[in-house]
Amino acid sequence: MPAPADATRPAADMAELLPSLPLETRCPPLPLRRYNGFWLPESVLTELPAIHARLRPRPSDVFLASFPKSGTTWLKALAFATAHRATHPPSDAGHPLRRMNPHECVQFMEMDPELRRDTGSLLEEFEQLASPRVLATHLPYCLLPESITAGEGAAARRVVYVCRNPKDAFISGLFFVKKVSSAYGAGASAGARAINLEEAFELFCEGRVFAGPQWRHVLQYWEASMRRPKQVLFLEYERMLRDPEATVKKLAEFMGCGFSKEEEEGGVVDEIVKLCSLKELKNMEVNMSGGNQAGVRNEAYFRKGSSGDWRNHLTPEMAKKLDKIVEEALQGSGFAFVDDAIM
């Protein structure tokens, strides 16, 4: 018998279970199924059993987690540049981030296998990577493999999570979806034909988006960071923008590769911040003209990289509605999103 749809561990026969899960087709670019309280693409759910069974974390591994469009690209760049600064000094003209998009440097462990049909198993590729490995995921905390979430002390694996104000996450996500829908073959579908702001907003408020509900996704990682602060580092995008240098130092300490006094005095932290800045990454040739196997252009991953842009798109009534939904969902948890107005 298939595992129940609210089971924490993915069913081994997920392909058989999928048709029985609630379906959402109105949110481009991919159809979503609701599993364990979250909406995820069928391709991601299909891969879950293999990820749980075959992923073999190493002690030095770092897993970057996020809800989509919450600072993922920036976090990938910062973590990669920090972890590999001995091999690739940030000032090097040939630094990987000057030749590849951050999503190539740090790959998602649940990436759609259909987009990799010519390159073999992603898990096999991970095994070939030299330590320290930096991997990424949009999976909610409850669906991470136990090989990541279990263990204490030396056996524990490190997870870095970045969260963003839900209103900005929604707007950023909407712009991204409009850019990439055609690349995923969704441009001509009924669900992706021309989703407007109002339709997309209602879906977001209902949590019917990739990895949604957003606030539940964030809350699970925040609670994990409260329970296991040495294993889960919780970052807030708005505070990262305010003090990126402090963020890089905190990130390095957490990953086990803190900066030496000589490095700090030598300006290595500043060089990493500059290399990974939106302005720098956005204007690199690879990010202005390159793309991935799915046909998504690298420039789609870079927009404003700011806080509070939702004010240019949401009406006061829309903002109030989402604020109320989030406030009620988080009531009693002890967590609250950063108010970008006071940052």
Side-chain angles (χ1 to χ4, degrees):
M1 292 289 292
D6 61 350
T8 300
R9 293 176 61 82
D13 50 357
M14 181 64 77
E16 179 183 341
L17 177 64
L18 273 178
S20 68
L21 299 177
L23 174 66
E24 177 56 74
T25 60
R26 296 171 296 167
C27 185
L30 298 168
L32 306 174
R33 296 278 185 177
R34 188 175 185 271
Y35 183 75
N36 204 30
F38 290 91
W39 293 92
L40 294 165
E42 292 181 348
S43 56
V44 170
L45 290 172
T46 301
E47 286 296 290
L48 271 182
I51 293 172
H52 277 243
R54 296 173 53 197
L55 184 68
R56 297 179 178 84
R58 302 172 190 168
S60 60
D61 283 351
V62 177
F63 295 88
L64 310 179
S66 62
F67 181 84
K69 306 311 298 175
S70 297
T72 309
T73 306
W74 190 25
L75 179 60
K76 283 187 173 187
L78 290 173
F80 181 87
T82 300
H84 296 285
R85 66 185 185 274
T87 307
H88 303 294
S91 58
D92 277 7
H95 194 283
L97 284 170
R98 291 191 169 90
R99 297 181 284 104
M100 297 186 291
N101 183 270
H103 294 285
E104 293 179 85
C105 294
V106 180
Q107 298 191 57
F108 287 104
M109 64 183 187
E110 71 272 13
M111 185 175 179
D112 185 349
E114 284 300 308
L115 306 183
R116 306 181 49 79
R117 50 185 172 272
D118 297 325
T119 58
S121 167
L122 187 58
L123 292 175
E124 291 176 5
E125 282 191 30
F126 289 164
E127 285 299 311
Q128 302 304 315
L129 293 176
S131 295
R133 299 184 303 181
V134 183
L135 307 176
T137 185
H138 282 321
L139 291 176
Y141 189 82
C142 65
L143 290 181
L144 291 180
E146 287 187 4
S147 57
I148 297 176
T149 60
E152 297 292 339
R157 303 296 177 254
R158 285 165 287 198
V159 176
V160 180
Y161 187 80
V162 58
C163 88
R164 190 178 190 179
N165 182 289
K167 297 188 287 291
D168 273 330
F170 163 67
I171 291 298
S172 184
L174 178 61
F175 275 94
F176 181 75
V177 162
K178 288 184 175 182
K179 289 181 180 180
V180 306
S181 287
S182 60
Y184 281 85
S189 71
R193 64 185 184 276
I195 189 167
N196 60 41
L197 175 68
E198 291 74 18
E199 292 171 328
F201 180 74
E202 290 305 315
L203 287 171
F204 190 89
C205 287
E206 294 172 13
R208 291 173 173 261
V209 293
F210 187 156
Q214 184 259 5
W215 44 92
R216 186 180 299 165
H217 195 285
V218 171
L219 183 59
Q220 283 195 354
Y221 278 93
W222 179 79
E223 290 175 338
S225 74
M226 294 293 100
R227 296 192 305 268
R228 311 173 76 226
K230 293 183 178 180
Q231 284 74 49
V232 182
L233 175 64
F234 189 89
L235 299 175
E236 293 162 302
Y237 185 75
E238 295 78 12
R239 299 187 194 281
M240 291 171 65
L241 286 172
R242 187 175 184 178
D243 196 345
E245 291 81 10
T247 297
V248 170
K249 292 179 185 179
K250 180 186 294 187
L251 189 59
E253 286 294 330
F254 180 79
M255 294 193 299
C257 56
F259 293 95
S260 66
K261 181 179 179 181
E262 292 73 22
E263 284 182 309
E264 291 195 30
E265 292 177 348
V268 176
V269 175
D270 293 334
E271 289 176 356
I272 289 176
V273 170
K274 180 181 178 183
L275 170 65
C276 301
S277 68
L278 175 68
K279 180 180 179 181
E280 193 83 5
L281 292 174
K282 191 174 185 177
N283 291 320
M284 289 178 185
E285 180 62 28
V286 66
N287 293 324
M288 291 191 293
S289 61
N292 64 21
Q293 289 177 299
V296 176
R297 297 185 60 80
N298 288 340
E299 60 86 19
Y301 295 103
F302 304 94
R303 199 172 71 90
K304 290 190 174 182
S306 61
S307 173
D309 183 51
W310 63 266
R311 290 183 174 82
N312 298 317
H313 305 278
L314 299 182
T315 65
E317 292 74 23
M318 295 168 81
K320 184 179 296 185
K321 176 178 179 177
L322 182 53
D323 284 343
K324 183 178 180 181
I325 290 172
V326 173
E327 182 181 352
E328 290 178 353
L330 298 179
Q331 191 171 14
S333 69
F335 173 74
F337 285 98
V338 170
D339 183 352
D340 58 87
I342 64 174
M343 293 302 294

